[in-house]
Amino acid sequence: ETEHMFNDELIGKMKRGSYIINTARGKICDRDAIVRALESGQLAGYGGDVSFPQPPPNDHPWRTMPNHAMTPHISGTSLSAQHRYASGVVEILECIFDNQPIRSEYLIAQDGKLAGVGAHSYSDGNATGGSEDAQKYKK
């Protein structure tokens, strides 16, 4: 539902010289629209920790576009977040070994269907699509 949300049309409605910071998903931005907007000055800069495909191939245009900063996709990995991840994994494993249900806030999928938080956070089907696009980048 969000694929290419930031396209030529939406970027054109933004104030000239705006910045886009994308820590959501690579395909929320139209790759080529971002490049065009940076080259024209419509965008003053782009920053993010996601691209499509990931990792971007050597000839991906985001590797050479002007005024950009890319970082590894590591959002939420503060020490306290890492502690929460580890505690959650321990709790899930204990539930599995004790044959107890896993809390719904830990579930993304169950029995082949979206479940728990996953049912509220994701779309059924192939919402990210792009498998045809990804094939172009395989060497």
Side-chain angles (χ1 to χ4, degrees), residues 1-10 25-33 52 133:
E1 294 114 15
T2 59
E3 185 172 338
H4 295 166
M5 179 185 292
F6 285 88
N7 56 18
D8 288 314
E9 181 182 356
L10 181 61
R25 59 184 280 258
K27 288 191 83 175
I28 200 169
C29 293
D30 177 329
R31 179 190 70 193
D32 297 327
F52 183 84
D133 287 342

Side-chain angles (χ1 to χ4, degrees), residues 53-73:
Q54 277 187 205
N58 290 339
D59 61 350
H60 194 287
W62 286 8
R63 289 187 177 268
T64 57
M65 66 187 180
N67 304 324
H68 79 287
M70 297 296 290
T71 65
H73 190 48

